[in-house]
Amino acid sequence: MSVTAYCLFCCRKIGTSGPATKSHLPWHDIKHFSTFDGEDHECALWLLLKRSQSEDREVRLQAVQELAKNSHWHGYQYSTVAQACDQRTAIGLARSKDIDLRFFLPPPSLPKIKDDYPIEDELRLLLVSLPQSDVDPCVQYFTSLALRESSQTLAAKRGGLWCFGGNGLPYCETLGKIPSETVELFCLQALVQHSKVSSHCDKIEAKGGLQLLQRIYQLRKDSAKIQRNIIRIIGNMALDERLHSSIVRAGWVSVLAEVMKSPHVIQSSHASRALANLDRDTVQEKYPDGVYVLHPQYRSSQPIKADILFVHGLLGAAFKTWRQQDRDQPLDHKALEGEEDYSQCWPKTWLASDCPALRIISVEYDTHLSDWGAKCPVESIAYRSNELLDKLRAAGIGERPLVWVSHSMGGLLVKKMLVDASKNPEMDKIVNNTRGIIFYSVPHHGSQLAEYSINARYLLFPSAEVKELSKDSPALKELNDDFLSFAKEQKFPVLSFAETLPTHIGSMIKLHVVPLESADLGIGDLIPVDVNHLNICKPKKKDAFLYQQTLKFIQEVLSRELGN
């Protein structure tokens, strides 16, 4: 039987005797080799598994990379890795691009339950076990809602058919099933709020919450919203390294690896955040709730040279705000064949492709047009600034050169964060590393939305955010004066885009949300664009003027870092 020599660093076959072995030494500059009997793949696999658990970080990372990129493993070898690899290796494989899902064990089997078993009751019991006093008002609101409602009361509200017998009964039963998912969603939204509190995460884990969430996740495969909320909770719990082993044992790594492959940017980005918080081998930063990395979402050897931070505006979101402009008319299938692929999030697709050395982050926070029916007490821009700054510091914002990109009210928030950071010595890096700011229709001097909503009572109870957008708002004027003074001193490059078309608000209102004079900060370049307020940050296509000007600005202010 022949004896084959393998490099213990990369597990490549290096020959059977001296010359081949010696010629391979300079490649790694190491001297420890061994020989093994047996079939090539068997030796390579076990060597890589051994190296993936090395105390040397570089050796571990190389081994995981070799495991992930080898597409010639046999089926049983994937199972071997799934059963033999440690927690750190499994997480590393899950964060490897185009990973084969056979590397992961499925979630552990859960005890069978009866078909009519109300899963919502378990969720309620979990919520009741969590602290209810001295918590954020949002936690109180969602918890109260979840504990108050039941599938029966919601079904009654939807039709009240419980009193009918005969032929009406089957229909009543189907009505009862629909609200149960709604109640589960209420409970999950409450758990999202609880999972932002570290001590509450401990209790969720201790009460079997990870297993309960796994059961709901598997039962609700047809509900992207329920699954997204569950993964959001896992991402929040993953901020605490003490819970990592419990998360892995509950089978979440295989679930997250699968969701990473989702074509839907919202789903994949939630999974990416959770895995990044689990991966302490290659990720130093932590990503709190509402902070999403759009690029890179996988482990990469590409060094990150700078950060781009996207901040949405009123009623916006971390992903939908930055999508490609919607087509006016749906195209038939044949017409679509020649079209460029539609981008659900152009920073993740176009910008990441043009500038791969950037880390691209998008943040999300709740906003409301009106306090009527608001889910949580709406806070001021000042409150949001402090909250976001803390989150961004945890995510490592300020450690690299930084460009801010904002739409509408998000631009006011960016200004407030920079002003606040300039007054806090602990935030010096955020200010000093800022290389430029892009404003898409930011109402520096107020918005007609606020004027219209107050004068015409379009909004019965204008929210705090909307009130702050009125032209006579003292807070808005003070913020603009403070920022201008500060920005001129720092000599920040600024690029502003202004809408020139009105926006439809509802079916009857047509409004120029941010007039040209309000979008004019008074420093930097101002570019009017023939689009409305919603589309000012949504380029029609990659070679459109709007995107190309944005890209040009980013490349210019980061020319030293990107090597342009």
Side-chain angles (χ1 to χ4, degrees), residues 115-120 150-156 158 162 169-185 219-220 222-223 226:
D115 292 340
D116 59 349
Y117 182 80
I119 202 82
E120 65 200 63
S150 70
S151 59
Q152 287 81 9
T153 57
L154 282 172
R158 291 201 176 196
W162 291 99
L169 188 57
Y171 186 53
C172 288
E173 289 176 345
T174 58
L175 263 180
K177 292 176 183 175
I178 298 171
S180 68
E181 293 186 28
T182 306
V183 175
E184 288 169 22
L185 194 54
L219 286 173
R220 301 301 186 201
D222 58 341
S223 174
I226 283 180

Tab-separated table of all heavy atoms in Angstrom, residues 115-120 150-156 158 162 169-185 219-220 222-223 226:
chain	number	residue	atom	x	y	z
A	115	ASP	N	-52.012	18.109	16.837
A	115	ASP	CA	-52.270	19.069	15.762
A	115	ASP	C	-53.005	20.304	16.250
A	115	ASP	O	-52.813	21.400	15.731
A	115	ASP	CB	-53.090	18.403	14.649
A	115	ASP	CG	-52.273	17.342	13.912
A	115	ASP	OD1	-51.032	17.404	13.998
A	115	ASP	OD2	-52.891	16.463	13.273
A	116	ASP	N	-53.885	20.116	17.260
A	116	ASP	CA	-54.668	21.255	17.730
A	116	ASP	C	-54.031	21.955	18.929
A	116	ASP	O	-54.658	22.774	19.595
A	116	ASP	CB	-56.088	20.807	18.102
A	116	ASP	CG	-56.086	19.741	19.202
A	116	ASP	OD1	-54.991	19.216	19.501
A	116	ASP	OD2	-57.170	19.450	19.739
A	117	TYR	N	-52.762	21.612	19.191
A	117	TYR	CA	-52.086	22.219	20.343
A	117	TYR	C	-51.803	23.694	20.055
A	117	TYR	O	-51.146	24.021	19.054
A	117	TYR	CB	-50.783	21.490	20.639
A	117	TYR	CG	-50.049	22.029	21.850
A	117	TYR	CD1	-50.431	21.660	23.129
A	117	TYR	CD2	-48.987	22.924	21.709
A	117	TYR	CE1	-49.774	22.140	24.246
A	117	TYR	CE2	-48.318	23.420	22.817
A	117	TYR	CZ	-48.717	23.025	24.083
A	117	TYR	OH	-48.064	23.509	25.178
A	118	PRO	N	-52.286	24.606	20.897
A	118	PRO	CA	-52.096	26.046	20.636
A	118	PRO	C	-50.673	26.498	20.996
A	118	PRO	O	-50.362	26.723	22.160
A	118	PRO	CB	-53.147	26.712	21.529
A	118	PRO	CG	-53.355	25.735	22.653
A	118	PRO	CD	-53.085	24.365	22.119
A	119	ILE	N	-49.841	26.666	19.991
A	119	ILE	CA	-48.455	27.062	20.209
A	119	ILE	C	-48.388	28.452	20.846
A	119	ILE	O	-47.436	28.788	21.558
A	119	ILE	CB	-47.671	27.027	18.881
A	119	ILE	CG1	-46.167	26.899	19.136
A	119	ILE	CG2	-47.963	28.235	18.024
A	119	ILE	CD1	-45.724	25.507	19.388
A	120	GLU	N	-49.441	29.244	20.604
A	120	GLU	CA	-49.464	30.602	21.154
A	120	GLU	C	-49.462	30.586	22.680
A	120	GLU	O	-48.969	31.525	23.322
A	120	GLU	CB	-50.679	31.363	20.634
A	120	GLU	CG	-51.989	30.776	21.113
A	120	GLU	CD	-53.168	31.192	20.260
A	120	GLU	OE1	-53.198	30.857	19.065
A	120	GLU	OE2	-54.061	31.825	20.815
A	150	SER	N	-56.256	36.837	22.033
A	150	SER	CA	-56.255	35.385	21.864
A	150	SER	C	-56.818	35.077	20.491
A	150	SER	O	-57.469	35.921	19.867
A	150	SER	CB	-57.107	34.705	22.932
A	150	SER	OG	-58.474	34.988	22.713
A	151	SER	N	-56.588	33.896	20.024
A	151	SER	CA	-57.075	33.549	18.687
A	151	SER	C	-58.603	33.600	18.641
A	151	SER	O	-59.192	33.965	17.632
A	151	SER	CB	-56.579	32.154	18.304
A	151	SER	OG	-57.047	31.198	19.241
A	152	GLN	N	-59.251	33.261	19.760
A	152	GLN	CA	-60.714	33.273	19.776
A	152	GLN	C	-61.258	34.695	19.635
A	152	GLN	O	-62.162	34.964	18.840
A	152	GLN	CB	-61.246	32.647	21.079
A	152	GLN	CG	-61.099	31.141	21.138
A	152	GLN	CD	-59.689	30.729	21.537
A	152	GLN	OE1	-58.886	31.575	21.923
A	152	GLN	NE2	-59.391	29.442	21.421
A	153	THR	N	-60.695	35.636	20.410
A	153	THR	CA	-61.209	37.007	20.346
A	153	THR	C	-60.925	37.633	18.994
A	153	THR	O	-61.753	38.369	18.449
A	153	THR	CB	-60.583	37.883	21.450
A	153	THR	OG1	-59.165	37.856	21.330
A	153	THR	CG2	-60.972	37.372	22.816
A	154	LEU	N	-59.742	37.331	18.421
A	154	LEU	CA	-59.424	37.887	17.114
A	154	LEU	C	-60.319	37.299	16.031
A	154	LEU	O	-60.753	37.983	15.112
A	154	LEU	CB	-57.950	37.618	16.777
A	154	LEU	CG	-56.955	38.553	17.478
A	154	LEU	CD1	-55.531	38.079	17.233
A	154	LEU	CD2	-57.111	39.971	16.993
A	155	ALA	N	-60.621	35.997	16.145
A	155	ALA	CA	-61.502	35.365	15.173
A	155	ALA	C	-62.894	35.985	15.249
A	155	ALA	O	-63.545	36.226	14.232
A	155	ALA	CB	-61.580	33.867	15.431
A	156	ALA	N	-63.330	36.266	16.475
A	156	ALA	CA	-64.644	36.882	16.653
A	156	ALA	C	-64.687	38.262	16.001
A	156	ALA	O	-65.663	38.644	15.365
A	156	ALA	CB	-64.966	36.988	18.136
A	158	ARG	N	-63.045	39.173	13.480
A	158	ARG	CA	-62.989	39.061	12.029
A	158	ARG	C	-64.309	38.593	11.417
A	158	ARG	O	-64.457	38.603	10.219
A	158	ARG	CB	-61.882	38.088	11.620
A	158	ARG	CG	-60.503	38.619	11.908
A	158	ARG	CD	-59.490	37.921	11.059
A	158	ARG	NE	-58.173	38.509	11.265
A	158	ARG	CZ	-57.150	38.326	10.475
A	158	ARG	NH1	-57.261	37.571	9.421
A	158	ARG	NH2	-55.990	38.882	10.730
A	162	TRP	N	-68.503	32.140	15.384
A	162	TRP	CA	-68.444	31.040	16.350
A	162	TRP	C	-69.843	30.597	16.780
A	162	TRP	O	-70.041	29.470	17.212
A	162	TRP	CB	-67.645	31.465	17.588
A	162	TRP	CG	-66.215	31.639	17.265
A	162	TRP	CD1	-65.560	32.804	17.008
A	162	TRP	CD2	-65.243	30.611	17.122
A	162	TRP	NE1	-64.246	32.566	16.721
A	162	TRP	CE2	-64.014	31.230	16.783
A	162	TRP	CE3	-65.274	29.222	17.242
A	162	TRP	CZ2	-62.845	30.511	16.574
A	162	TRP	CZ3	-64.107	28.514	17.032
A	162	TRP	CH2	-62.911	29.146	16.698
A	169	LEU	N	-69.894	26.044	10.445
A	169	LEU	CA	-68.857	25.656	11.380
A	169	LEU	C	-67.492	25.451	10.734
A	169	LEU	O	-66.493	25.950	11.246
A	169	LEU	CB	-69.283	24.396	12.136
A	169	LEU	CG	-68.370	23.974	13.285
A	169	LEU	CD1	-68.248	25.112	14.296
A	169	LEU	CD2	-68.908	22.722	13.975
A	170	PRO	N	-67.388	24.716	9.591
A	170	PRO	CA	-66.057	24.538	8.984
A	170	PRO	C	-65.396	25.875	8.653
A	170	PRO	O	-64.196	26.042	8.811
A	170	PRO	CB	-66.352	23.728	7.720
A	170	PRO	CG	-67.638	23.036	8.017
A	170	PRO	CD	-68.414	23.994	8.862
A	171	TYR	N	-66.189	26.835	8.214
A	171	TYR	CA	-65.630	28.150	7.887
A	171	TYR	C	-65.141	28.843	9.143
A	171	TYR	O	-64.114	29.507	9.155
A	171	TYR	CB	-66.684	28.980	7.171
A	171	TYR	CG	-66.161	30.311	6.668
A	171	TYR	CD1	-65.022	30.363	5.859
A	171	TYR	CD2	-66.796	31.495	7.001
A	171	TYR	CE1	-64.542	31.574	5.400
A	171	TYR	CE2	-66.318	32.704	6.538
A	171	TYR	CZ	-65.194	32.741	5.739
A	171	TYR	OH	-64.718	33.936	5.291
A	172	CYS	N	-65.880	28.672	10.212
A	172	CYS	CA	-65.459	29.257	11.490
A	172	CYS	C	-64.120	28.680	11.922
A	172	CYS	O	-63.270	29.390	12.431
A	172	CYS	CB	-66.491	28.962	12.571
A	172	CYS	SG	-68.028	29.876	12.420
A	173	GLU	N	-63.925	27.409	11.716
A	173	GLU	CA	-62.686	26.767	12.135
A	173	GLU	C	-61.495	27.312	11.354
A	173	GLU	O	-60.429	27.533	11.900
A	173	GLU	CB	-62.805	25.249	11.954
A	173	GLU	CG	-63.758	24.615	12.955
A	173	GLU	CD	-63.940	23.135	12.704
A	173	GLU	OE1	-63.566	22.669	11.604
A	173	GLU	OE2	-64.465	22.454	13.601
A	174	THR	N	-61.688	27.544	10.060
A	174	THR	CA	-60.568	28.091	9.282
A	174	THR	C	-60.282	29.522	9.715
A	174	THR	O	-59.135	29.952	9.732
A	174	THR	CB	-60.880	28.078	7.769
A	174	THR	OG1	-62.064	28.830	7.540
A	174	THR	CG2	-61.059	26.662	7.276
A	175	LEU	N	-61.333	30.249	10.089
A	175	LEU	CA	-61.111	31.600	10.600
A	175	LEU	C	-60.278	31.562	11.872
A	175	LEU	O	-59.439	32.411	12.105
A	175	LEU	CB	-62.453	32.273	10.902
A	175	LEU	CG	-63.029	33.209	9.838
A	175	LEU	CD1	-64.352	33.772	10.314
A	175	LEU	CD2	-62.066	34.312	9.488
A	176	GLY	N	-60.498	30.543	12.684
A	176	GLY	CA	-59.763	30.432	13.936
A	176	GLY	C	-58.287	30.205	13.724
A	176	GLY	O	-57.477	30.549	14.565
A	177	LYS	N	-57.907	29.610	12.606
A	177	LYS	CA	-56.491	29.310	12.359
A	177	LYS	C	-55.725	30.560	11.910
A	177	LYS	O	-54.556	30.704	12.170
A	177	LYS	CB	-56.373	28.219	11.288
A	177	LYS	CG	-56.876	26.867	11.750
A	177	LYS	CD	-56.814	25.858	10.618
A	177	LYS	CE	-57.392	24.524	11.048
A	177	LYS	NZ	-57.445	23.559	9.941
A	178	ILE	N	-56.401	31.438	11.201
A	178	ILE	CA	-55.713	32.629	10.700
A	178	ILE	C	-55.252	33.537	11.836
A	178	ILE	O	-54.089	33.903	11.908
A	178	ILE	CB	-56.619	33.404	9.717
A	178	ILE	CG1	-56.931	32.521	8.506
A	178	ILE	CG2	-55.960	34.701	9.282
A	178	ILE	CD1	-57.975	33.089	7.586
A	179	PRO	N	-56.135	33.858	12.792
A	179	PRO	CA	-55.706	34.738	13.876
A	179	PRO	C	-54.615	34.135	14.748
A	179	PRO	O	-53.859	34.876	15.362
A	179	PRO	CB	-56.984	34.954	14.685
A	179	PRO	CG	-58.089	34.694	13.742
A	179	PRO	CD	-57.580	33.605	12.853
A	180	SER	N	-54.520	32.805	14.858
A	180	SER	CA	-53.489	32.220	15.706
A	180	SER	C	-52.110	32.665	15.240
A	180	SER	O	-51.219	32.921	16.043
A	180	SER	CB	-53.593	30.698	15.719
A	180	SER	OG	-53.257	30.166	14.450
A	181	GLU	N	-51.912	32.787	13.924
A	181	GLU	CA	-50.641	33.284	13.407
A	181	GLU	C	-50.456	34.753	13.763
A	181	GLU	O	-49.341	35.201	14.031
A	181	GLU	CB	-50.584	33.088	11.887
A	181	GLU	CG	-50.536	31.634	11.461
A	181	GLU	CD	-50.333	31.481	9.970
A	181	GLU	OE1	-49.716	32.387	9.368
A	181	GLU	OE2	-50.782	30.466	9.407
A	182	THR	N	-51.564	35.491	13.768
A	182	THR	CA	-51.484	36.902	14.138
A	182	THR	C	-51.064	37.049	15.590
A	182	THR	O	-50.233	37.902	15.928
A	182	THR	CB	-52.854	37.584	13.923
A	182	THR	OG1	-53.289	37.359	12.588
A	182	THR	CG2	-52.768	39.069	14.185
A	183	VAL	N	-51.644	36.200	16.456
A	183	VAL	CA	-51.274	36.246	17.870
A	183	VAL	C	-49.808	35.868	18.041
A	183	VAL	O	-49.081	36.483	18.822
A	183	VAL	CB	-52.176	35.306	18.701
A	183	VAL	CG1	-51.711	35.262	20.144
A	183	VAL	CG2	-53.618	35.769	18.631
A	184	GLU	N	-49.361	34.850	17.304
A	184	GLU	CA	-47.949	34.462	17.368
A	184	GLU	C	-47.060	35.635	16.984
A	184	GLU	O	-46.014	35.867	17.590
A	184	GLU	CB	-47.688	33.276	16.443
A	184	GLU	CG	-48.262	31.954	16.944
A	184	GLU	CD	-48.211	30.873	15.897
A	184	GLU	OE1	-47.384	30.991	14.967
A	184	GLU	OE2	-48.988	29.908	15.992
A	185	LEU	N	-47.493	36.387	15.974
A	185	LEU	CA	-46.704	37.538	15.534
A	185	LEU	C	-46.655	38.603	16.620
A	185	LEU	O	-45.595	39.208	16.864
A	185	LEU	CB	-47.288	38.109	14.243
A	185	LEU	CG	-46.416	39.094	13.466
A	185	LEU	CD1	-45.041	38.508	13.169
A	185	LEU	CD2	-47.091	39.503	12.170
A	219	LEU	N	-42.872	25.296	11.814
A	219	LEU	CA	-44.314	25.239	11.545
A	219	LEU	C	-44.774	26.350	10.607
A	219	LEU	O	-45.758	26.181	9.882
A	219	LEU	CB	-45.093	25.350	12.863
A	219	LEU	CG	-45.100	24.120	13.776
A	219	LEU	CD1	-45.770	24.464	15.110
A	219	LEU	CD2	-45.827	22.957	13.112
A	220	ARG	N	-44.086	27.479	10.633
A	220	ARG	CA	-44.520	28.646	9.869
A	220	ARG	C	-43.607	28.939	8.688
A	220	ARG	O	-43.247	30.086	8.428
A	220	ARG	CB	-44.587	29.877	10.775
A	220	ARG	CG	-45.536	29.746	11.961
A	220	ARG	CD	-46.949	29.461	11.516
A	220	ARG	NE	-47.884	29.477	12.637
A	220	ARG	CZ	-49.069	28.885	12.612
A	220	ARG	NH1	-49.451	28.231	11.534
A	220	ARG	NH2	-49.862	28.952	13.666
A	222	ASP	N	-44.376	29.092	5.779
A	222	ASP	CA	-45.077	29.893	4.774
A	222	ASP	C	-45.221	31.361	5.193
A	222	ASP	O	-45.825	32.152	4.478
A	222	ASP	CB	-46.468	29.304	4.516
A	222	ASP	CG	-47.316	29.233	5.778
A	222	ASP	OD1	-46.733	29.282	6.881
A	222	ASP	OD2	-48.557	29.122	5.664
A	223	SER	N	-44.677	31.716	6.338
A	223	SER	CA	-44.792	33.102	6.814
A	223	SER	C	-43.405	33.734	6.951
A	223	SER	O	-42.712	33.535	7.946
A	223	SER	CB	-45.525	33.155	8.165
A	223	SER	OG	-45.520	34.472	8.679
A	226	ILE	N	-43.074	35.985	10.149
A	226	ILE	CA	-42.852	35.276	11.408
A	226	ILE	C	-41.421	34.773	11.473
A	226	ILE	O	-40.724	34.943	12.487
A	226	ILE	CB	-43.860	34.116	11.563
A	226	ILE	CG1	-45.223	34.659	11.973
A	226	ILE	CG2	-43.366	33.096	12.597
A	226	ILE	CD1	-46.300	33.611	12.151
